Amino acid sequence: MNNTFFNRDLSWLSFNERLLLEAARLSIPLLERVKFLSIFSSNLDEFYRVRMPALLALNSIAKNVVADDRIVDKVKDSIDLQQQSFGAILSSHIIPELASQGVWLLFSQELPDEIINEINEYFLTEVAGFLLIKELNGQKNFFPENNKLYLLVTAKTKKGEKHYIVDIPSDQLPRFFSVIRNGKKFILFLDDIIRNNLSEIFGDQESISCFSFKVTRDAELDLKDEYTGNLARKIERQIIKRDFGLATRFLFQGDAPQETVGMLARQLGLTGASFVKGGVYHNMKDLSSLPLFDAHYLNEQWPQAKIELEPNLRLLDILRHKEILLHPPYHSYETVIRFFNEAAIDRNVSRIYVTLYRIAKNSRIASALCHAAQNGKKVTVFVELKARFDEANNIKWAKKMRASGVRIIFSIPDLKVHAKIALIKRFANVKGDRKEEYYGMLSTGNFNESTAKLYTDHVLFTSNAAMLKEIEMLFRFLKKREHPKRVEEISFYHILVAQFNLQRRFIELIDREIDIAKRNLPASIIIKMNNLEEKVLISKLYDASRAGVNIEL
């Protein structure tokens, strides 16, 4: 491997390891640390759905072409160490700290006698009707759904062993159940409620044993040559197929008998997947739903401030005279909602343009756009359909907006549009003349009021006409739904647009700092980003570092 560049997947996993380091930091509020564990687990699931299929395919090719530097083995070793660290943080730090606050998370242990009756009643009244029970008969007669939780139950009788699959319906019921007894709050997994009541399902067998497992499946959509015709319909068909993709991971309880694991893998057609030993519980992303959020002493909220706006003035009128820079989640996102709401009802607003990448499930922004169109505004929305795992929700909202009269523009072939921009055109009387004014919003994060509570982003509100006319030019380009093959046809000076002038301008700025450093003057670069994979820019940053430029990423 070239020492200049780190492997993409090992780098990705090192980021996930960073989440574990945050989860272990005592200075962070306890529930924030629990959330870091949840995010780690969710990310790992995505890695097996998105990256592992590609790695396994490349590894297979490499065996016949050229050695791949054991990258798959390194990835598996890294994941194994991280999972051990995850278990240690949860069992040795998080659970004891919860107990010190009077909250007992029952984790792989006997359930206390004092709550058994209530647990059994909950099983019979709330859980039993959701269970799917399937006997294995030596045939491939059961298809485990992607990332769904299951128990393999072995019941021994005088006639021999029988194997059953019992699902854990955490997609239909809460993953956790809480009981308060004698001043203690007990929280237990749905999994353990089912385990504790297996005799209710299988009756008086000589012995009943079980272990948990789940299957992760390839999530990539096959969209080759799928850009002609109705892209939304084709993506919808692919989404339906997604959960039936090839198994990439067979995750099972670590103490399960090897012979039984092999039997299960053969019967379920999982022999081509990565076999991964795990703990008793899977889908630990569900930790984010622990019923603890009434315990304020465990969860110090980030301070949040509202932008102070002049009273009795509309936001658009304020923007005529000054710009506003918003910093979610430290600033309330209500200013963004207000921007769209005002545009929807303002009689002088004629046009609204916006790009949407990940739309909130109950989006107030999309609802405002629907009402704007119904109120007579010309509304144009570019919806990126290739936002992984949000495709179905984006299509749902696109249909709803289109039904309300919004003009919808869908994805461009071979191009993923990440721009988060909005533009409003509004008429105003200026010295007796009716003049068209521009108001805009440029954001580093999605126009999504749900994720705005979690992610650190920056939102610029402006009425800078020169900048916003270039935004309008960009929307005209997006309407054509073309890949920017001839970038010289469109010139941007005030905004940076990928595949037009973004990389060139970044290189110019880095070169400027290199020149400053060579003159023995203070030179520095600070960059905030999600990801850095562009080799040209990475190489240029190395050049700057060697020249003496101080770089913070």
Side-chain angles (χ1 to χ4, degrees):
M1 189 188 302
N2 188 329
N3 290 330
T4 305
F5 303 105
F6 294 99
N7 174 268
R8 168 183 177 176
D9 296 295
L10 291 175
S11 178
W12 193 101
L13 289 171
S14 72
F15 163 76
N16 223 24
E17 184 178 13
R18 186 73 180 83
L19 296 175
L20 291 178
L21 294 176
E22 291 295 294
R25 280 178 57 192
L26 298 178
S27 61
I28 293 179
L30 185 54
L31 283 193
E32 291 294 328
R33 292 161 60 197
V34 171
K35 288 177 188 175
F36 279 121
L37 291 181
S38 170
I39 296 168
F40 168 87
S41 180
S42 177
N43 285 353
L44 192 56
D45 281 348
E46 182 173 339
F47 185 86
Y48 270 100
R49 295 201 73 188
V50 176
R51 290 304 307 158
M52 191 58 87
L55 279 174
L56 293 174
L58 288 171
N59 194 53
S60 177
I61 295 171
K63 289 178 181 177
N64 301 319
V65 182
V66 62
D68 197 29
D69 200 20
R70 290 185 57 250
I71 194 64
V72 172
D73 291 336
K74 290 179 180 179
V75 162
K76 290 180 177 179
D77 289 344
S78 177
I79 291 172
D80 184 53
L81 289 173
Q82 288 180 16
Q83 286 183 311
Q84 291 178 40
S85 177
F86 179 99
I89 292 169
L90 181 61
S91 59
S92 301
H93 297 278
I94 303 296
I95 291 177
E97 288 182 50
L98 287 171
S100 71
Q101 300 287 351
V103 178
W104 301 82
L105 177 60
L106 302 178
F107 189 82
S108 193
Q109 65 191 82
E110 290 290 327
L111 304 184
D113 291 338
E114 58 194 301
I115 62 173
I116 288 295
N117 289 339
E118 191 159 353
I119 290 169
N120 292 346
E121 182 180 356
Y122 179 73
F123 173 80
L124 292 172
T125 58
E126 301 291 341
V127 179
F130 288 92
L131 297 183
L132 172 68
I133 303 159
K134 187 77 174 180
E135 182 179 356
L136 293 180
N137 58 10
Q139 305 293 324
K140 292 182 180 179
N141 65 333
F142 182 79
F143 185 87
E145 297 179 33
N146 174 67
N147 280 343
K148 190 169 174 60
L149 301 174
Y150 298 100
L151 296 174
L152 179 70
V153 179
T154 300
K156 293 184 179 180
T157 68
K158 293 177 181 179
K159 296 180 180 180
E161 287 186 348
K162 287 190 175 182
H163 300 288
Y164 302 87
I165 291 177
V166 179
D167 75 327
I168 300 171
S170 59
D171 53 341
Q172 298 169 289
L173 295 171
R175 183 71 188 280
F176 300 100
F177 178 65
S178 61
V179 182
I180 297 178
R181 283 288 178 274
N182 302 321
K184 292 182 179 180
K185 182 170 185 175
F186 294 98
I187 298 176
L188 60 156
F189 285 80
L190 176 63
D191 320 33
D192 289 331
I193 294 173
I194 297 171
R195 289 173 184 267
N196 200 64
N197 283 275
L198 289 176
S199 60
E200 294 284 352
I201 303 172
F202 298 103
D204 297 326
Q205 309 285 357
E206 286 189 5
S207 68
I208 299 174
S209 61
C210 70
F211 70 83
S212 59
F213 72 94
K214 80 169 186 177
V215 176
T216 304
R217 297 187 177 277
D218 184 353
E220 282 296 81
L221 302 182
D222 182 12
L223 294 174
K224 294 176 182 177
D225 304 319
E226 288 285 337
Y227 294 103
T228 58
N230 190 323
L231 179 60
R233 191 173 300 158
K234 291 174 178 177
I235 288 181
E236 280 186 293
R237 287 201 296 264
Q238 291 288 345
I239 291 170
I240 294 171
K241 296 178 184 178
R242 170 184 274 163
D243 285 338
F244 297 91
L246 291 174
T248 57
R249 176 178 59 171
F250 175 32
L251 178 62
F252 54 89
Q253 190 171 319
D255 58 0
Q258 187 174 350
E259 182 181 344
T260 309
V261 171
M263 175 277 299
L264 181 63
R266 290 190 298 274
Q267 288 212 24
L268 300 184
L270 305 175
T271 51
S274 294
F275 282 47
V276 180
K277 288 185 178 181
V280 174
Y281 311 100
H282 312 307
N283 279 6
M284 297 301 281
K285 62 185 178 183
D286 291 338
L287 285 171
S288 63
S289 65
L290 270 178
L292 288 172
F293 295 97
D294 56 334
H296 298 295
Y297 52 85
L298 297 176
N299 188 31
E300 298 174 22
Q301 296 292 331
W302 293 112
Q304 189 179 75
K306 282 193 174 184
I307 292 289
E308 292 295 330
L309 301 175
E310 288 86 340
N312 305 318
L313 281 179
R314 288 198 170 186
L315 176 61
L316 298 185
D317 292 327
I318 295 170
L319 293 178
R320 183 184 293 158
H321 305 292
K322 69 175 184 180
E323 294 180 326
I324 296 174
L325 189 59
L326 200 70
H327 305 287
Y330 310 103
H331 281 143
S332 166
Y333 205 64
E334 292 303 310
T335 309
V336 175
I337 305 297
R338 179 172 168 176
F339 181 84
F340 290 103
N341 286 349
E342 282 193 15
I345 63 171
D346 190 323
R347 294 173 60 188
N348 293 314
V349 168
S350 59
R351 293 179 181 271
I352 304 172
Y353 302 88
V354 63
T355 59
L356 295 178
Y357 187 73
R358 295 189 189 276
I359 310 174
K361 283 186 169 57
N362 299 303
S363 176
R364 293 161 62 190
I365 292 172
S367 293
L369 294 169
C370 290
H371 288 100
Q374 291 168 344
N375 290 338
K377 321 298 181 190
K378 292 184 178 180
V379 183
T380 301
V381 178
F382 181 97
V383 179
E384 179 53 74
L385 295 181
K386 302 187 290 290
R388 185 182 290 124
F389 301 127
D390 277 314
E391 301 98 340
N393 185 59
N394 285 3
I395 290 171
K396 180 199 80 172
W397 271 111
K399 289 178 177 178
K400 188 171 182 177
M401 286 187 286
R402 177 174 278 166
S404 297
V406 175
R407 178 182 179 182
I408 298 294
I409 306 170
F410 282 135
S411 302
I412 294 173
D414 299 324
L415 188 72
K416 188 176 280 192
V417 176
H418 278 272
K420 284 80 179 181
I421 50 177
L423 175 65
I424 291 172
K425 296 177 74 172
R426 180 192 192 214
F427 287 103
N429 289 316
V430 181
K431 296 180 180 179
D433 294 327
R434 189 167 166 80
K435 178 185 176 185
E436 192 172 48
E437 296 180 333
Y438 289 74
Y439 301 88
M441 183 165 43
L442 298 87
S443 175
T444 62
N446 298 303
F447 294 136
N448 183 315
E449 56 268 40
S450 298
T451 56
K453 298 173 183 175
L454 303 173
Y455 302 150
T456 303
D457 279 301
H458 313 284
V459 185
L460 175 67
F461 298 87
T462 183
S463 60
N464 183 304
M467 184 188 300
L468 295 176
K469 284 180 180 178
E470 290 189 7
I471 293 288
E472 185 179 25
M473 185 164 57
L474 178 58
F475 274 109
R476 284 202 294 268
F477 164 75
L478 293 176
K479 284 182 184 178
K480 295 179 182 178
R481 298 186 72 254
E482 294 178 356
H483 192 282
K485 296 174 183 176
R486 298 183 62 187
V487 297
E488 67 275 6
E489 293 179 1
I490 301 180
S491 298
F492 296 105
Y493 299 99
H494 298 86
I495 62 174
L496 302 182
V497 184
Q499 302 208 35
F500 288 93
N501 62 345
L502 181 68
Q503 186 188 86
R504 182 179 72 247
R505 182 57 177 152
F506 279 179
I507 290 173
E508 288 173 358
L509 291 169
I510 297 170
D511 278 337
R512 184 184 70 182
E513 295 304 307
I514 291 174
D515 182 60
I516 292 172
K518 287 180 177 177
R519 288 187 274 127
N520 293 319
L521 296 171
S524 66
I525 298 171
I526 301 175
I527 309 177
K528 176 184 180 295
M529 69 186 83
N530 280 16
N531 201 350
L532 180 60
E533 291 185 20
E534 173 56 59
K535 289 187 175 182
V536 171
L537 285 174
I538 294 171
S539 298
K540 181 58 68 172
L541 288 172
Y542 276 128
D543 291 343
S545 181
R546 283 190 286 265
V549 178
N550 182 56
I551 301 174
E552 293 183 52
L553 300 181

